[in-house]
Amino acid sequence: MGACETTRLDELRSVVKKATAERPAFELAFEGLGAFPSWTRPRSLWVGLGEGASALTVLAGRLRALLPGPKVFPNAERDREFKAHLTIGRIDGGRALKELQAKAEELGGPGKLVLPKVKVERLALYESIPSPGGSTYSELFASPFRT
């Protein structure tokens, strides 16, 4: 969602509760391994989503509709199409690029990785705290989906 002023956390919590109460829990399938911006110059490694990705797209659209103003969703984020994925790592300067590409081939090659499905029962908001050794993530709150 982007940066959010702490003064808006109560508003955000209320909107997230409303959005999750409207939607049932769902299953999410992870499939496909990719790199951003590309495999030749990767900066981050991600796993794509299959079944359940459309539920996340609908949820993202609902949150965007309920959270007015660029303070929560910067204009650039509002205009960009939502692409559900799971970032699993950041790559520091591509020093181990050949090893990474070899491991990706071992796992079935980019785009072919398939992992077990998971049940998505709640939506959690995390705070990202950057540091020289990498970011730390702290859960601020969570809201369950309708059962």
Side-chain angles (χ1 to χ4, degrees), residues 78-122:
R78 275 191 184 278
D79 297 339
R80 220 168 45 176
E81 181 185 356
F82 177 76
K83 296 273 191 188
H85 66 280
L86 174 64
T87 300
I88 58 174
R90 305 246 181 249
I91 301 162
D92 184 15
R95 292 180 303 211
L97 179 58
K98 291 202 184 305
E99 291 173 40
L100 176 63
Q101 289 168 329
K103 187 52 112 175
E105 285 302 321
E106 241 179 76
L107 294 170
K112 296 179 185 168
L113 178 68
V114 178
L115 299 171
K117 292 179 187 176
V118 296
K119 178 94 176 205
V120 180
E121 298 175 328
R122 67 189 194 119

Side-chain angles (χ1 to χ4, degrees), residues 10-82:
D10 286 339
E11 175 190 7
L12 185 56
R13 181 180 285 116
S14 173
V15 165
V16 167
K17 278 185 170 184
K18 180 176 177 141
T20 56
E22 296 171 351
R23 308 223 40 92
F26 58 95
E27 286 198 335
L28 188 60
F30 298 97
E31 52 189 49
L33 183 62
F36 177 81
S38 69
W39 277 106
T40 54
R41 293 177 11 152
R43 289 193 324 239
S44 64
L45 190 61
W46 53 264
V47 175
L49 304 178
E51 178 186 331
S54 61
L56 288 175
T57 301
V58 169
L59 180 63
R62 185 70 176 132
L63 289 170
R64 284 179 174 171
L66 291 169
L67 290 165
K71 298 256 192 232
V72 177
F73 283 105
N75 288 334
E77 294 296 320
R78 275 191 184 278
D79 297 339
R80 220 168 45 176
E81 181 185 356
F82 177 76

